[in-house]
Structure formats: C-alpha cells, structure tokens
Amino acid sequence: MSIAPKLQLSVQYALDYQQQLPRWRIRRWIDKALQTVYGIYIDAHLDCPFQGVQLTVRFVDGDEMQALNHQFRDKDYATNVLTFEYGVDERGYVLSDVVVCIPTLEHEAASQQKTITQHAAHLLVHGTLHALGYDHLNDEDAEEMESLEADILAHFRIPNPYQIPSA
C-alpha cells in the first residue's frame, strides 16, 4: 500500500487578492483534489505513481495571462486557468504550476452567477487535476474529469459547475 502523497504548495499573488482567496482555502481545495485522486488509486488496488505534488499557484492580471496563453498555446486572449506540467522529479513529486487570471475569473463568476470563491475553487481543482494527469481531450476523459471536479467541489458544498441551473 502506498503512502498518501504530500502537498508542497506555493501561492503567488501578482494582484492583491489574498483577502478573497487566502492560502489556507487554496490549500484545502488542492489537497482535496490530491487526496481524491490518491483514493482512486487505492480503490483500484494500485500504487499511486507519485509520492507528492509540488505546486505553485499564481494569480495574474489579464496581460500576463494573455502573454502566457499566446506564448504556450498560440491563443491571443486571457484564458481563465493554465496548468503547466513538468513531470515527476527524482523524489517522486509531480511538479506543476497553475496560473489563474483574476479578471477572467471575476467576469466568468459574474456571468455564471457564481461567487468568486466558488469559481476559483473550480478553476483550481480543474488545474490540479490537469497537473495530476487528467485531461478533457475527448468526451470520455471530459466526463471523467468533470465528474471528479463535481465530487471534489461537493465536499465544500459548491454546486456542480457543469449543471445548468433550472430557471
């Protein structure tokens, strides 16, 4: 049986957003995603392929996100979240950065009638799952990833972001 993976987390605020999204809350969301993925391996009677996660979360403005999205994805707009995966180091730690664009986060939260906290939790869980190897390139993978996100967010009493509220 493998040992539960550890989380080493660094949070960077390019914008003053510590009040709205404090480190302790970010850590809880990311750690829950990590422990959920670990539980999937345990339930399948498989050893977890990593010992821990070293993750940096950075909150940025629209200009920085647009530059990153253009440089790394050849898309010239400020997306909501980007995950940069760097593989697993010699200690067995997944190395990754998750970058969240605050103006896009705020705009999407308002347009989707969610709180900033709810939407930030979703984007950080989504980015963390990408760091842990999940993706949504086809329908089956997207369904699996969305289901995991909804389950993790439900732990924090955050509504399923993929369910359209009835009018």
Side-chain angles (χ1 to χ4, degrees):
M1 181 117 137
S2 60
I3 298 170
K6 304 285 188 235
L7 173 61
Q8 293 180 348
L9 178 65
S10 174
V11 181
Q12 302 174 354
Y13 298 92
L15 300 174
D16 185 22
Y17 229 72
Q18 293 93 324
Q19 292 283 5
Q20 295 91 328
L21 297 173
R23 284 176 169 82
W24 66 265
R25 183 169 280 152
I26 294 162
R27 175 175 284 283
R28 287 183 63 215
W29 296 329
I30 292 171
D31 194 53
K32 180 62 178 171
L34 175 59
Q35 297 310 318
T36 299
V37 169
Y38 172 70
I40 291 168
Y41 286 102
I42 296 306
D43 290 347
H45 305 287
L46 299 171
D47 285 334
C48 188
F50 50 87
Q51 301 298 310
V53 175
Q54 185 174 325
L55 185 70
T56 298
V57 172
R58 181 167 172 80
F59 294 100
V60 301
D61 63 18
D63 290 340
E64 185 173 343
M65 182 59 97
Q66 184 172 351
L68 289 168
N69 204 22
H70 185 263
Q71 180 179 356
F72 293 102
R73 295 181 63 228
D74 202 28
K75 299 189 187 273
D76 197 24
Y77 60 90
T79 191
N80 54 13
V81 62
L82 287 173
T83 300
F84 297 93
E85 306 165 56
Y86 308 115
V88 178
D89 70 8
E90 65 281 350
R91 303 170 301 159
Y93 274 63
V94 171
L95 306 175
S96 188
D97 295 333
V98 175
V99 183
V100 176
C101 181
I102 293 296
T104 305
L105 163 71
E106 292 174 334
H107 174 76
E108 289 177 351
S111 69
Q112 296 170 20
Q113 300 178 332
K114 300 175 184 177
T115 68
I116 296 232
T117 301
Q118 289 171 332
H119 197 44
H122 178 214
L123 295 180
L124 288 168
V125 166
H126 183 88
T128 301
L129 291 177
H130 274 307
L132 298 175
Y134 287 84
D135 218 322
H136 44 82
L137 297 176
N138 61 53
D139 289 344
E140 185 179 326
D141 290 346
E143 188 175 306
E144 179 184 16
M145 190 170 175
E146 290 171 8
S147 176
L148 269 176
E149 290 171 27
D151 289 348
I152 293 163
L153 294 171
H155 176 80
F156 300 103
R157 295 191 174 114
I158 296 173
N160 183 337
Y162 298 104
Q163 283 185 338
I164 299 169
S166 55

